[in-house]
Amino acid sequence: MKILVLNSGSSSLKFKLFMQKKLLASASGLIEQIGDEESSALLTFIDDLGNNKKLQLNSPIPDHRKAIKVMTVMLRESGMLTDLKELTGIGHRVVHGGESFQQPVRIDENVIAAIKKLIPLAPLHNPANLIGIEVAAEHAPRIPQVAVFDTAFHQSIPAHAYLYALPYYLYKKKKIRRYGFHGTSHAYVARQAAQYLDTPIEELNIITLHLGNGASAAAIQGGRCIDTSMGMTPLEGLVMGTRSGDIDPAILFYLARESGLGIDELDTLLNKKSGLKGICGDNDMRRICESAAQENRHAKFALNVFCYRLKKYIGSYMAALGGVDCIVFTGGIGENSGTVRWKCCLGMERLGISLDSRKNSLQQNDIREIQKKGSQISLLVIPTDEEYEIASQTLQVISDNNGAL
Ligand code: ADP
């Protein structure tokens, strides 16, 4: 049993190979700067003796077709996979499934057509995801391919949370609504949390906080998402590395009128020049925490704005859920920054949130709890694993289609 997970971006290809029914990760790779003179490919894997090994290649990789070839050669050299034909299935990360996909699906011509139709909603991501699907199908035409959508987990959100207060026809005609992203991560950590707490997920209210360069929160009731902070695009919600998250939309009209900024400049301003980077010039939370500890004024602003926004979302999702059993921190910042976790939980004791400073300061890679003993609400740090989740959903779809494997 071998499942390959592909995450095809506009100039990159991430891949991970899972073996056996237990889905053990055996090799993972990253091909970057596809289309550049400086492309690079790196594969890390565990050999027969259990040693960590690396294979590296630096030569121009002109397109995704060549990238998949390079991936195949590297996997063969590592001894992990002789041919793509050996695969049980290929799972693809697809960013936008719109309202068409509430579940992962086996890819066929209709699915490809539907993903193409959604390109206007994700003009940067869906075309890149489609290239990965097309090239993988060329190389391994008989291997089942499955699309796993970032938006699918959030399709359970009710209308009062996904509708914007805009003229209704904009939803009906233009599909303007909240979709939410990072769905595979939110779904994965919520399930892990339920397992850790040894409680059926159906009985839990969970807030999941995926805090990386992109950041989003989700409110999950009985295993179903009822609200999430990213919106029609990943720009809405929490403060992020370079994205503003929530702002007064009138700021855009003001900037257009007063400073003459055009649509593309406003897009770049909000998506690439705002967030942590906009406030303090850096989007690396580790460095920001270090600078803030040395009393750097702008680093302190950035950290404080980030954590205050986070706290507001925690509070609002506690209200939306009618109380919460567990809050999960994940993503590069959520898993590693004790400072951020501490700051966003500060002063929330009356709401049942009591963080244990000692447990919070411990660094470890496993799932762990950081609340004080007897605290009403469990606070968990859970390393996310989006590739594992995609592999697991891929396997599920293939098993459902073929009967038990
Ligand atoms: P991406 O969304 O690109 O996958 P990650 O989930 O890898 O991002 O998260 C990247 C963020 O995690 C960066 O801001 C980085 O500084 C932060 N981070 C990683 N380790 C630490 C740490 N020890 N302390 C604070 N922030 C950290």
Side-chain angles (χ1 to χ4, degrees):
M1 217 283 320
K2 291 180 182 174
I3 299 278
L4 180 68
V5 171
L6 289 185
N7 182 353
S8 172
S10 54
S11 64
S12 69
L13 179 73
K14 279 191 207 158
F15 56 95
K16 202 159 181 176
L17 182 67
F18 293 86
M19 307 256 216
Q20 302 175 13
K21 269 200 163 165
K22 282 187 282 180
L23 294 177
L24 299 173
S26 55
S28 71
L30 174 61
I31 300 179
E32 284 182 299
Q33 289 175 272
I34 297 172
D36 255 32
E37 286 296 301
E38 313 265 298
S39 326
S40 65
L42 177 69
L43 179 81
T44 51
F45 63 101
I46 302 169
D47 70 8
D48 291 344
L49 303 170
N51 300 315
N52 284 315
K53 288 272 168 83
K54 273 186 188 169
L55 277 175
Q56 199 156 359
L57 184 93
N58 289 316
S59 72
I61 299 175
D63 53 31
H64 284 74
R65 208 154 266 113
K66 178 77 178 171
I68 294 229
K69 254 202 175 123
V70 168
M71 172 192 80
T72 315
V73 170
M74 288 179 115
L75 285 169
R76 193 179 305 136
E77 275 182 33
S78 72
M80 293 292 142
L81 190 77
T82 321
D83 196 298
L84 292 185
K85 287 186 197 128
E86 286 169 32
L87 291 169
T88 315
I90 302 177
H92 292 269
R93 175 191 181 213
V94 179
V95 167
H96 220 305
E99 290 186 324
S100 312
F101 298 103
Q102 311 197 347
Q103 303 286 343
V105 283
R106 176 99 177 242
I107 297 172
D108 60 18
E109 276 173 21
N110 292 334
V111 171
I112 290 178
I115 298 172
K116 274 192 185 144
K117 231 175 139 186
L118 291 164
I119 287 176
L121 289 175
L124 296 179
H125 293 103
N126 275 25
N129 302 153
L130 277 165
I131 293 176
I133 292 172
E134 281 165 12
V135 178
E138 277 171 28
H139 280 80
R142 284 181 210 289
I143 306 303
Q145 299 203 58
V146 173
V148 178
F149 300 90
D150 271 22
T151 47
F153 181 61
H154 304 303
Q155 276 295 298
S156 48
I157 291 176
H160 62 254
Y162 74 64
L163 282 178
Y164 291 114
L166 291 168
Y168 189 71
Y169 74 86
L170 289 175
Y171 165 58
K172 284 316 268 181
K173 288 220 160 68
K174 299 279 180 205
K175 297 290 169 211
I176 294 178
R177 54 159 284 178
R178 176 181 312 288
Y179 291 99
F181 299 86
H182 290 146
T184 46
S185 177
H186 289 293
Y188 173 79
V189 296
R191 221 167 339 96
Q192 292 283 309
Q195 254 176 39
Y196 181 85
L197 297 172
D198 199 17
T199 308
I201 198 162
E202 292 74 19
E203 292 171 18
L204 290 171
N205 282 350
I206 304 176
I207 296 174
T208 49
L209 305 168
H210 177 107
L211 311 175
N213 266 318
S216 66
I220 301 167
Q221 193 156 53
R224 288 167 62 80
C225 185
I226 62 153
D227 203 355
T228 191
S229 60
M230 283 180 168
M232 171 163 146
T233 76
L235 182 56
E236 193 182 345
L238 300 174
V239 175
M240 307 180 215
T242 62
R243 295 187 201 127
S244 62
D246 299 336
I247 62 163
D248 179 347
I251 293 169
L252 300 179
F253 322 142
Y254 178 82
L255 283 173
R257 289 191 191 113
E258 292 293 313
S259 309
L261 294 190
I263 300 290
D264 291 340
E265 287 162 306
L266 290 169
D267 188 333
T268 307
L269 178 77
L270 261 58
N271 274 299
K272 305 234 163 81
K273 295 185 178 172
S274 295
L276 297 171
K277 187 166 191 171
I279 300 176
C280 74
D282 195 351
N283 61 345
D284 186 308
M285 185 53 96
R286 193 185 332 217
R287 283 198 300 262
I288 292 171
C289 287
E290 284 162 10
S291 304
Q294 288 156 15
E295 296 297 318
N296 177 295
R297 195 158 160 260
H298 287 94
K300 279 172 82 176
F301 284 149
L303 181 62
N304 289 344
V305 174
F306 184 94
C307 294
Y308 180 65
R309 180 86 50 91
L310 199 49
K311 180 185 275 193
K312 282 209 294 191
Y313 267 93
I314 294 172
S316 65
Y317 285 174
M318 287 174 82
L321 289 163
V324 66
D325 300 298
C326 167
I327 299 174
V328 179
F329 293 89
T330 193
I333 297 171
E335 290 165 34
N336 297 300
S337 177
T339 307
V340 167
R341 293 190 302 254
W342 174 72
K343 275 182 98 62
C344 73
C345 290
L346 206 61
M348 306 263 269
E349 291 78 9
R350 284 178 68 178
L351 297 175
I353 297 175
S354 297
L355 186 114
D356 182 309
S357 299
R358 192 192 59 81
K359 290 184 200 162
N360 184 47
S361 64
L362 298 176
Q363 279 291 353
Q364 65 185 73
N365 292 330
D366 280 352
I367 181 164
R368 62 198 186 275
E369 52 183 49
I370 54 169
Q371 78 278 4
K372 276 192 184 142
K373 212 169 165 206
S375 163
Q376 229 174 303
I377 297 172
S378 299
L379 304 172
L380 301 182
V381 179
I382 303 183
T384 194
D385 194 341
E386 287 166 281
E387 288 87 5
Y388 175 89
E389 180 66 20
I390 293 172
S392 147
Q393 293 193 20
T394 299
L395 187 57
Q396 186 68 50
V397 170
I398 296 171
S399 314
D400 290 349
N401 286 354
N402 295 351
L405 284 168

